[in-house]
Amino acid sequence: MVTAVGQGVSWTGYEFRRARMVERLRQMGITRAEVLSAMSAVPRHVFVEEALRSHAYDDMSLPLGLGQTISQPYTVAVMTQLLFSQRPINNNLRILEIGTGCGYQTAILQALGLREIYSIERLRPLHERAKQNLRAVHLLAHARLVCGDGYLGLPQEAPFDGIILTAAPKEVPLPLLQQLSIGGRMVLPLDEGGVQFLWVIDKTAEGFQETCVQQTLFVPLVNDN
């Protein structure tokens, strides 16, 4: 189920660009219908700096200030698709996001119909901006935004069915592995000696299964400890 967003707010002039972005994502291999619908539903330009909004639907990352970026649409779509793989997307799933940033990935998760989303951002100005952005598109109701250290996760709310990282650590944070439920999946970029790769980690009763997907590029995940 994809939630309608932006009701009562005018997004005139961007609908065609967003539709073209979604078609490009389809051609690039994003096949999950729910993900494509969510990418179509969320107005990405609201999450982009005003001076850069003409590029909001181009397939490129854009600066947010404070050394952070909003990921390119393809990266958001492919990580979202990987997070759920072939499992049904339903509102019983509990998802943890590390690196809220401007809130765009959080909005995509909510547009999928998820009702338990937790998202951690270490930079207070971005944490506040994400709340403002999500309010603007009416997608804050089911997201709990926390300002804190993403390396630590949220043990008091664990376990999570899915964990998604939008910044790259040099190794998988152990607390996040511990907070993943049996049958759960983590999607994250890893910085391996200056080169980053996107990984999927599935937690089973026997242990962890790790799959390297593709090369990628993210800002680093900072450990405050």
Side-chain angles (χ1 to χ4, degrees):
M1 177 181 69
V2 175
T3 304
V5 301
Q7 295 178 357
V9 183
S10 174
W11 308 123
T12 304
Y14 291 100
E15 289 84 353
F16 175 76
R17 297 181 192 180
R18 191 155 65 248
R20 188 169 56 185
M21 175 194 76
V22 172
E23 180 56 33
R24 183 171 61 244
L25 292 174
R26 184 180 289 109
Q27 294 173 1
M28 294 173 74
I30 304 303
T31 57
R32 191 74 182 257
E34 301 98 321
V35 175
L36 291 169
S37 295
M39 298 294 292
S40 178
V42 176
R44 187 174 187 258
H45 62 276
V46 173
F47 298 85
V48 171
E49 296 287 335
E50 187 171 359
L52 299 172
R53 285 184 175 175
S54 62
H55 298 290
Y57 296 103
D58 296 342
D59 196 43
M60 59 193 300
S61 61
L62 296 169
L64 296 172
L66 302 172
Q68 306 300 301
T69 62
I70 178 174
S71 296
Q72 67 189 98
Y74 173 74
T75 299
V76 173
V78 76
M79 290 184 73
T80 304
Q81 182 166 272
L82 286 169
L83 186 64
F84 299 103
S85 186
Q86 300 302 313
R87 75 189 301 176
I89 301 174
N90 61 68
N91 57 18
N92 294 321
L93 297 175
R94 306 178 76 251
I95 304 299
L96 174 63
E97 176 191 14
I98 306 299
T100 316
C102 62
Y104 181 64
Q105 176 71 73
T106 317
I108 295 297
L109 293 172
Q110 282 207 77
L112 289 168
L114 300 176
R115 292 294 179 267
E116 265 195 282
I117 303 165
Y118 299 82
S119 186
I120 304 176
E121 172 56 54
R122 63 180 292 274
L123 298 174
R124 175 67 64 176
L126 278 184
H127 168 76
E128 296 297 335
R129 189 187 309 175
K131 287 196 291 187
Q132 293 174 1
N133 290 340
L134 290 165
R135 285 194 190 102
V137 297
H138 308 291
L139 283 175
L140 187 56
H142 301 292
R144 177 182 169 187
L145 304 189
V146 177
C147 188
D149 186 350
Y151 262 87
L152 302 179
L154 290 174
Q156 68 274 23
E157 302 295 345
F160 298 99
D161 301 297
I163 300 178
I164 184 169
L165 281 73
T166 61
K170 293 185 181 298
E171 58 185 23
V172 183
L174 179 59
L176 299 184
L177 289 175
Q178 295 171 336
Q179 292 169 40
L180 196 61
S181 65
I182 300 296
R185 167 171 284 197
M186 184 187 302
V187 178
L188 77 162
L190 279 177
D191 188 328
E192 304 176 28
V195 180
Q196 296 181 10
F197 293 93
L198 190 61
W199 285 82
V200 168
I201 301 176
D202 292 299
K203 187 173 184 177
T204 71
E206 291 75 34
F208 296 95
Q209 297 178 349
E210 302 177 353
T211 304
C212 183
V213 180
Q214 62 192 43
Q215 193 168 342
T216 190
L217 182 62
F218 281 82
V219 297
L221 181 65
V222 177
N223 188 347
D224 288 333
N225 294 321

